Coordinates of all heavy atoms in Angstrom, one line a residue:
M26 N -0.3 -11.9 14.4 CA -0.2 -10.7 15.2 C -1.5 -9.9 15.1 O -2.0 -9.7 14.0 CB 1.0 -9.9 14.7 CG 1.2 -8.6 15.4 SD 2.7 -7.7 14.8 CE 4.0 -8.7 15.4
S27 N -2.0 -9.5 16.2 CA -3.2 -8.7 16.2 C -3.0 -7.3 15.7 O -1.9 -6.8 15.7 CB -3.8 -8.7 17.6 OG -3.0 -7.9 18.5
K28 N -4.1 -6.7 15.4 CA -4.0 -5.3 14.9 C -3.4 -4.3 15.9 O -2.5 -3.6 15.6 CB -5.4 -4.8 14.4 CG -5.3 -3.5 13.6 CD -6.6 -3.1 13.0 CE -6.8 -3.6 11.6 NZ -8.0 -3.1 11.0
P29 N -3.8 -4.4 17.2 CA -3.2 -3.5 18.1 C -1.7 -3.7 18.3 O -0.9 -2.8 18.5 CB -4.0 -3.8 19.4 CG -5.3 -4.3 19.0 CD -5.0 -5.1 17.7
E30 N -1.3 -5.0 18.3 CA 0.1 -5.3 18.4 C 0.9 -4.8 17.2 O 2.0 -4.2 17.4 CB 0.3 -6.8 18.5 CG -0.1 -7.5 19.8 CD -0.1 -9.0 19.8 OE1 -0.1 -9.6 18.7 OE2 -0.1 -9.6 20.8
L31 N 0.4 -4.9 16.0 CA 1.0 -4.4 14.8 C 1.1 -2.9 14.9 O 2.2 -2.3 14.6 CB 0.3 -4.8 13.6 CG 0.8 -4.4 12.2 CD1 2.3 -4.9 12.1 CD2 0.0 -4.8 11.1
R32 N 0.1 -2.2 15.3 CA 0.1 -0.8 15.4 C 1.2 -0.3 16.4 O 1.9 0.6 16.2 CB -1.3 -0.2 15.9 CG -2.3 -0.3 14.8 CD -3.6 0.2 15.2 NE -4.6 0.2 14.1 CZ -5.8 0.4 14.3 NH1 -6.3 0.7 15.5 NH2 -6.6 0.4 13.3
T33 N 1.3 -1.0 17.5 CA 2.3 -0.7 18.5 C 3.7 -0.9 18.0 O 4.6 0.0 18.2 CB 2.1 -1.5 19.8 OG1 0.8 -1.3 20.3 CG2 3.1 -1.2 20.9
K34 N 3.9 -2.0 17.3 CA 5.2 -2.3 16.7 C 5.6 -1.2 15.6 O 6.7 -0.7 15.6 CB 5.1 -3.7 16.0 CG 6.4 -4.1 15.4 CD 6.3 -5.4 14.8 CE 7.6 -5.8 14.0 NZ 7.4 -7.1 13.3
L35 N 4.6 -0.8 14.8 CA 4.9 0.2 13.8 C 5.1 1.5 14.4 O 6.0 2.3 13.9 CB 3.7 0.2 12.8 CG 3.6 -1.0 11.8 CD1 2.3 -0.9 11.0 CD2 4.8 -1.1 11.0
A36 N 4.4 1.9 15.4 CA 4.6 3.2 16.1 C 6.0 3.3 16.7 O 6.5 4.4 16.8 CB 3.5 3.4 17.2
A37 N 6.5 2.2 17.1 CA 7.9 2.2 17.7 C 9.0 2.3 16.7 O 10.1 2.6 17.1 CB 8.0 0.9 18.6
L38 N 8.7 2.1 15.5 CA 9.8 2.2 14.5 C 10.2 3.6 14.3 O 9.4 4.6 14.4 CB 9.3 1.7 13.1 CG 9.0 0.2 13.0 CD1 8.4 -0.2 11.7 CD2 10.2 -0.6 13.3
S39 N 11.5 3.8 13.8 CA 12.0 5.1 13.5 C 11.4 5.6 12.2 O 10.8 4.8 11.4 CB 13.5 5.1 13.4 OG 13.9 4.4 12.3
F40 N 11.4 6.9 11.9 CA 10.9 7.4 10.7 C 11.5 6.8 9.5 O 10.8 6.5 8.5 CB 11.1 9.0 10.7 CG 10.5 9.6 9.5 CD1 9.1 9.8 9.4 CD2 11.3 10.0 8.4 CE1 8.5 10.5 8.3 CE2 10.7 10.7 7.3 CZ 9.3 10.9 7.3
S41 N 12.8 6.6 9.5 CA 13.5 6.0 8.4 C 13.1 4.6 8.1 O 13.0 4.2 7.0 CB 15.0 6.1 8.5 OG 15.4 5.4 9.7
E42 N 12.8 3.8 9.2 CA 12.3 2.5 9.0 C 10.9 2.5 8.4 O 10.6 1.7 7.5 CB 12.3 1.7 10.3 CG 13.7 1.4 10.9 CD 14.4 0.4 10.0 OE1 13.8 -0.6 9.5 OE2 15.6 0.6 9.7
K43 N 10.1 3.4 8.8 CA 8.7 3.5 8.2 C 8.8 3.9 6.7 O 8.1 3.4 5.9 CB 7.9 4.6 9.0 CG 7.6 4.2 10.4 CD 6.9 5.3 11.1 CE 6.7 4.9 12.6 NZ 6.1 6.0 13.4
I44 N 9.8 4.8 6.4 CA 10.0 5.1 5.0 C 10.4 3.9 4.1 O 9.9 3.7 3.0 CB 11.0 6.3 4.8 CG1 10.4 7.5 5.5 CG2 11.4 6.5 3.4 CD1 9.2 8.1 4.8
K45 N 11.2 3.1 4.7 CA 11.7 1.9 4.0 C 10.5 1.0 3.7 O 10.4 0.4 2.6 CB 12.7 1.1 4.8 CG 14.1 1.8 4.8 CD 15.1 1.0 5.7 CE 16.4 1.8 5.9 NZ 17.3 1.1 6.8
I46 N 9.6 0.8 4.7 CA 8.4 0.0 4.5 C 7.6 0.6 3.4 O 7.1 -0.2 2.6 CB 7.7 -0.2 5.8 CG1 8.5 -1.0 6.8 CG2 6.3 -0.8 5.6 CD1 7.9 -1.0 8.2
L47 N 7.4 1.9 3.4 CA 6.5 2.5 2.4 C 7.1 2.3 1.0 O 6.4 2.1 0.0 CB 6.4 4.0 2.7 CG 5.4 4.3 3.9 CD1 5.5 5.8 4.2 CD2 4.0 3.9 3.6
E48 N 8.4 2.4 0.9 CA 9.1 2.2 -0.4 C 8.9 0.8 -0.9 O 8.6 0.6 -2.1 CB 10.6 2.5 -0.3 CG 10.8 4.0 -0.1 CD 12.3 4.4 0.1 OE1 13.1 3.4 0.5 OE2 12.7 5.5 0.0
K49 N 9.0 -0.2 0.0 CA 8.7 -1.6 -0.4 C 7.3 -1.8 -0.9 O 7.0 -2.5 -1.9 CB 9.0 -2.5 0.8 CG 10.5 -2.7 1.1 CD 10.7 -3.6 2.2 CE 12.2 -3.7 2.6 NZ 12.4 -4.7 3.7
L50 N 6.3 -1.2 -0.1 CA 4.9 -1.3 -0.5 C 4.7 -0.6 -1.9 O 3.9 -1.1 -2.7 CB 4.0 -0.6 0.5 CG 4.0 -1.4 1.9 CD1 3.2 -0.6 2.9 CD2 3.3 -2.7 1.7
R51 N 5.3 0.6 -2.1 CA 5.2 1.2 -3.4 C 5.7 0.4 -4.5 O 5.1 0.2 -5.6 CB 5.9 2.6 -3.4 CG 5.7 3.4 -4.7 CD 6.6 4.5 -4.8 NE 8.0 4.0 -4.9 CZ 9.1 4.5 -4.4 NH1 9.0 5.7 -3.7 NH2 10.3 4.0 -4.5
D52 N 6.9 -0.2 -4.3 CA 7.5 -1.0 -5.3 C 6.7 -2.2 -5.6 O 6.5 -2.6 -6.8 CB 8.9 -1.5 -4.9 CG 9.9 -0.3 -4.8 OD1 9.7 0.7 -5.4 OD2 11.0 -0.5 -4.2
R53 N 6.1 -2.8 -4.6 CA 5.2 -4.0 -4.8 C 4.0 -3.6 -5.6 O 3.5 -4.3 -6.5 CB 4.8 -4.5 -3.4 CG 3.9 -5.7 -3.4 CD 3.7 -6.2 -2.0 NE 2.7 -7.2 -2.0 CZ 1.4 -7.1 -1.7 NH1 0.9 -5.9 -1.4 NH2 0.6 -8.1 -1.7
S54 N 3.4 -2.4 -5.2 CA 2.2 -1.9 -5.9 C 2.5 -1.7 -7.4 O 1.7 -2.1 -8.3 CB 1.7 -0.7 -5.3 OG 0.6 -0.2 -5.9
L55 N 3.7 -1.1 -7.7 CA 4.1 -0.8 -9.1 C 4.3 -2.1 -9.9 O 3.9 -2.2 -11.0 CB 5.3 0.0 -9.1 CG 5.1 1.5 -8.7 CD1 6.5 2.2 -8.6 CD2 4.2 2.2 -9.5
A56 N 4.9 -3.1 -9.2 CA 5.1 -4.4 -9.8 C 3.8 -5.1 -10.2 O 3.6 -5.7 -11.3 CB 6.0 -5.3 -9.0
I57 N 2.8 -5.0 -9.3 CA 1.5 -5.6 -9.5 C 0.8 -4.9 -10.7 O 0.3 -5.6 -11.6 CB 0.7 -5.6 -8.2 CG1 1.2 -6.5 -7.2 CG2 -0.8 -5.9 -8.5 CD1 0.6 -6.4 -5.8
A58 N 0.9 -3.6 -10.7 CA 0.3 -2.8 -11.8 C 0.9 -3.1 -13.1 O 0.3 -3.3 -14.1 CB 0.3 -1.4 -11.5
A59 N 2.3 -3.3 -13.1 CA 3.0 -3.5 -14.4 C 2.7 -4.9 -14.9 O 2.7 -5.1 -16.1 CB 4.5 -3.4 -14.1
A60 N 2.4 -5.8 -14.0 CA 2.1 -7.2 -14.4 C 0.6 -7.4 -14.9 O 0.2 -8.4 -15.4 CB 2.3 -8.2 -13.3
G61 N -0.1 -6.3 -14.8 CA -1.5 -6.3 -15.2 C -2.4 -7.1 -14.3 O -3.5 -7.6 -14.7
L62 N -2.0 -7.3 -13.1 CA -2.8 -8.1 -12.1 C -3.9 -7.2 -11.4 O -4.7 -7.7 -10.7 CB -1.9 -8.7 -11.1 CG -0.9 -9.7 -11.7 CD1 0.0 -10.3 -10.6 CD2 -1.6 -10.9 -12.4
R63 N -3.8 -5.9 -11.5 CA -4.7 -5.0 -10.8 C -5.9 -4.7 -11.7 O -5.7 -4.4 -12.8 CB -4.0 -3.8 -10.4 CG -4.9 -2.8 -9.6 CD -4.1 -1.8 -8.9 NE -3.2 -2.4 -7.9 CZ -2.1 -1.9 -7.4 NH1 -1.7 -0.8 -7.9 NH2 -1.4 -2.6 -6.5
R64 N -7.1 -4.8 -11.1 CA -8.3 -4.5 -11.9 C -8.5 -3.0 -11.8 O -8.1 -2.3 -10.8 CB -9.5 -5.2 -11.3 CG -9.5 -6.7 -11.4 CD -10.7 -7.2 -10.8 NE -10.7 -8.7 -10.9 CZ -11.7 -9.4 -10.4 NH1 -12.7 -8.9 -9.7 NH2 -11.6 -10.7 -10.5
K65 N -9.2 -2.5 -12.8 CA -9.5 -1.0 -12.7 C -10.7 -0.9 -11.8 O -11.6 -1.7 -11.7 CB -9.9 -0.5 -14.1 CG -8.8 -0.4 -15.0 CD -9.2 0.3 -16.3 CE -8.0 0.6 -17.2 NZ -8.4 1.4 -18.4
A66 N -10.6 0.2 -11.0 CA -11.8 0.5 -10.1 C -12.9 1.0 -11.0 O -12.8 1.5 -12.1 CB -11.3 1.6 -9.1
A67 N -14.1 0.8 -10.4 CA -15.4 1.2 -11.1 C -15.3 2.7 -11.5 O -15.9 3.1 -12.5 CB -16.6 0.9 -10.3
T68 N -14.7 3.5 -10.7 CA -14.7 4.9 -10.9 C -13.7 5.3 -12.0 O -13.8 6.4 -12.6 CB -14.3 5.7 -9.7 OG1 -13.0 5.3 -9.2 CG2 -15.3 5.6 -8.6
D69 N -12.8 4.4 -12.4 CA -11.8 4.6 -13.4 C -12.4 4.4 -14.8 O -11.9 4.9 -15.8 CB -10.6 3.8 -13.2 CG -9.7 4.2 -12.1 OD1 -9.9 5.3 -11.6 OD2 -8.9 3.4 -11.6
E70 N -13.4 3.6 -14.9 CA -14.0 3.2 -16.1 C -14.9 4.3 -16.7 O -15.7 4.8 -15.9 CB -14.8 1.9 -16.0 CG -13.9 0.7 -15.7 CD -14.6 -0.6 -15.5 OE1 -15.9 -0.6 -15.7 OE2 -14.0 -1.5 -15.1
P71 N -14.8 4.7 -17.9 CA -15.6 5.7 -18.4 C -17.1 5.2 -18.5 O -17.4 4.1 -18.9 CB -15.1 6.0 -19.8 CG -14.3 4.8 -20.2 CD -13.8 4.2 -18.9
G72 N -18.0 6.1 -18.1 CA -19.4 5.8 -18.1 C -20.1 6.7 -19.1 O -19.5 7.6 -19.7
P73 N -21.4 6.5 -19.2 CA -22.1 7.4 -20.1 C -22.2 8.9 -19.5 O -22.3 9.0 -18.3 CB -23.5 6.8 -20.1 CG -23.6 6.0 -18.9 CD -22.2 5.5 -18.6
S74 N -21.9 9.8 -20.3 CA -21.9 11.2 -19.8 C -23.3 11.7 -19.9 O -24.1 11.4 -20.8 CB -21.0 12.1 -20.7 OG -21.4 12.0 -22.0
K75 N -23.6 12.6 -18.9 CA -25.0 13.2 -18.9 C -25.0 14.6 -19.3 O -24.0 15.3 -19.1 CB -25.5 13.0 -17.5 CG -25.8 11.6 -17.1 CD -26.4 11.5 -15.8 CE -26.7 10.0 -15.4 NZ -27.3 9.9 -14.1

């Protein structure tokens, strides 16, 4: 599915359907973080202070 097609499909969804998708994405993100599969971003790592 192309990006414009996906955008059109998502735009046609009801607000409650969009919330359900967001909840699934949040749960997936939390599961990945809990499994330790996510790397820390460069900005999260402490660097030398000036």
Side-chain angles (χ1 to χ4, degrees):
M26 179 176 290
S27 69
K28 192 177 262 189
E30 290 172 337
L31 181 59
R32 287 181 178 168
T33 302
K34 181 181 174 185
L35 291 173
L38 293 175
S39 69
F40 184 76
S41 61
E42 289 295 318
K43 291 175 186 174
I44 295 297
K45 287 179 187 177
I46 292 171
L47 287 174
E48 288 173 345
K49 286 181 184 179
L50 290 172
R51 183 196 63 215
D52 292 343
R53 180 176 174 262
S54 179
L55 291 174
I57 290 170
L62 298 176
R63 181 166 294 157
R64 293 182 183 175
K65 287 188 175 185
T68 58
D69 290 344
E70 295 176 6
S74 57
K75 294 184 179 180

